[in-house]
Amino acid sequence: MATNIGIMDSAYFVGRSEILAWINSTLQLNLSKVEEASSGAVHCQLLDAAHPGMVPMHKVNFDAKNEYDMIQNYKVLQDVFNKLKITKHIEVSKLVKGRPLDNLEFMQWMKRYCDSVNSGLHHNYNPVERREVCKGGRETTKKSSQSQASTKGSAAPRPQSSHNARRNDVSTASNPATQAPKAAKPSSAGSPAYDEQITELKLSVDSLEKERDFYFAKLRDIEILCQIPEIENSPVVAAIQKILYATDDDGTAVAEAQAMLSGGQKEVGQLSPIAEASEEKSSSETQKRKNVVNLDFDAAGIKNLSPRQKLSDVSDVHCSGSPLMTY
């Protein structure tokens, strides 16, 4: 089952015309745009064709026009996904907007999944009969049949009698001045080509917007990270913010950021007041330890002196004028 396929899978390179032909042939519809299936009803019936009887078609609304009714169709689709243990995430908020690229990507996935079930063969499936139990299903079938009939009627050229043809040829030959304006008129047959170009441009714009939103979200995450109080005053964060908030695109922001980093490294090389204080503290502690050792040594020496030597030392202290020995 193609429940999880990567974005670079061949399924996402299937063209729009092939997707539309697959939908119309499977469900006997006449869709001209992929986004016409944004209501979710078409997706439900495609899944019903792949798994007959699994989709409660009486809950599907082919006449859904607002987002609330469309969301109800996607709820039905999600319930069937859960029953079949399909882990595909449905981005309902994007699909109901009718954006061509989002609907095309999801329909490409639907085609890949339906093709993986019984090799895409739907034996004895009657899409018209299954659609009749849906709300708006009969109207959808009538519209599709009418549009198919009108398309066939417009595509078939009407036979022209030889008498009318000769009369038109004579009138054209006798009045050549009217021939040039008629030739200059644009043909209405080129409108499908224009529609296809417009759709391709819309897909391109949607793709660029998604890419823009992706990179903007990355930059926003970096900005939030730089605002953490523990690191916001560091040179590296200042350099990153310099590049983030630069308004000119002349490359000076990168050079200034590099200068800020090099200046910060020089400051790190120098001793900070905290480091100097710690060194002074360590030196004073070392001196204290030395004094304690000397006192211990002097005390031990005094214990080893004889009484006569102790008296001589006391006399030396008295002679030296110590305040402790005054009377």
Side-chain angles (χ1 to χ4, degrees):
M1 297 295 180
T3 55
N4 288 317
I5 57 177
I7 192 65
M8 297 304 295
D9 193 272
S10 59
Y12 290 109
F13 293 93
V14 180
R16 180 181 60 88
S17 58
E18 184 177 350
I19 292 291
L20 289 173
W22 169 68
I23 297 172
N24 293 332
S25 62
T26 304
L27 304 182
Q28 296 183 15
L29 295 173
N30 191 26
L31 302 182
S32 59
K33 298 178 181 179
V34 178
E35 53 268 28
E36 292 180 8
S38 60
S39 66
V42 174
H43 301 89
C44 291
Q45 190 168 13
L46 287 173
L47 198 60
D48 182 67
H51 300 280
M54 288 295 296
V55 181
M57 295 298 293
H58 63 280
K59 296 182 179 180
V60 179
N61 185 4
F62 271 87
D63 195 27
K65 296 294 188 294
N66 53 54
E67 291 188 6
Y68 176 78
D69 294 334
M70 294 179 184
I71 291 173
Q72 298 304 315
N73 288 334
Y74 283 108
K75 285 184 178 180
V76 174
L77 184 66
Q78 185 64 61
D79 291 339
V80 180
F81 274 17
N82 295 335
K83 291 179 183 178
L84 297 173
K85 297 181 180 180
I86 300 175
T87 58
K88 172 67 176 176
H89 175 64
I90 305 174
E91 296 182 350
V92 180
S93 60
K94 294 182 178 180
L95 294 175
V96 295
K97 299 296 182 183
R99 298 176 62 177
L101 184 60
D102 295 325
N103 282 272
L104 178 61
E105 288 181 356
F106 189 69
M107 193 60 74
Q108 287 170 337
W109 181 90
M110 286 291 299
K111 185 179 187 305
R112 174 64 181 273
Y113 177 79
C114 293
D115 290 343
S116 66
V117 179
N118 298 325
S119 301
L121 300 177
H122 311 296
H123 299 288
N124 301 325
Y125 182 76
N126 191 342
V128 177
E129 182 179 354
R130 290 289 293 169
R131 197 161 49 239
E132 287 183 354
V133 299
C134 304
K135 182 179 179 180
R138 293 183 179 179
E139 290 76 7
T140 302
T141 303
K142 290 180 181 179
K143 290 179 182 178
S144 299
S145 59
Q146 291 175 358
S147 59
Q148 289 177 359
S150 62
T151 303
K152 292 180 181 179
S154 61
R158 294 181 179 179
Q160 188 178 22
S161 62
S162 59
H163 176 70
N164 292 334
R166 286 195 300 270
R167 186 175 62 183
N168 292 334
D169 294 338
V170 172
S171 62
T172 303
S174 61
N175 192 6
T178 60
Q179 187 174 1
K182 290 182 179 180
K185 290 182 179 180
S187 176
S188 61
S191 58
Y194 290 129
D195 292 339
E196 186 175 357
Q197 290 180 2
I198 292 172
T199 304
E200 294 295 333
L201 289 175
K202 287 181 179 179
L203 292 174
S204 177
V205 170
D206 289 341
S207 177
L208 292 175
E209 287 181 354
K210 290 182 69 175
E211 185 176 2
R212 178 202 62 189
D213 296 340
F214 174 79
Y215 287 110
F216 178 79
K218 293 291 183 184
L219 293 175
R220 178 58 182 160
D221 293 339
I222 294 173
E223 184 183 26
I224 294 173
L225 183 63
C226 292
Q227 293 174 356
I228 297 177
E230 289 80 0
I231 63 172
E232 63 178 352
N233 295 324
S234 64
V236 176
V237 172
I240 294 174
Q241 289 178 342
K242 184 69 176 178
I243 297 174
L244 282 177
Y245 301 142
T247 57
D248 297 331
D249 195 14
D250 53 359
T252 57
V254 178
E256 292 177 0
Q258 292 175 350
M260 293 170 64
L261 289 176
S262 60
Q265 291 175 355
K266 290 179 181 179
E267 292 179 359
V268 170
Q270 299 175 357
L271 287 176
S272 63
I274 298 175
E276 293 177 356
S278 62
E279 287 187 357
E280 291 178 358
K281 184 177 180 181
S282 61
S283 62
S284 63
E285 291 178 354
T286 304
Q287 187 65 30
K288 288 180 181 179
R289 285 195 295 271
K290 289 181 180 179
N291 294 334
V292 170
V293 172
N294 292 334
L295 291 173
D296 294 340
F297 179 76
D298 293 341
I302 291 171
K303 290 180 181 180
N304 296 327
L305 291 177
S306 62
R308 184 177 295 177
Q309 288 175 340
K310 291 180 180 180
L311 290 174
S312 64
D313 290 340
V314 169
S315 62
D316 291 338
V317 172
H318 176 70
C319 294
S320 64
S322 174
L324 298 174
M325 300 302 297
T326 57
Y327 293 96

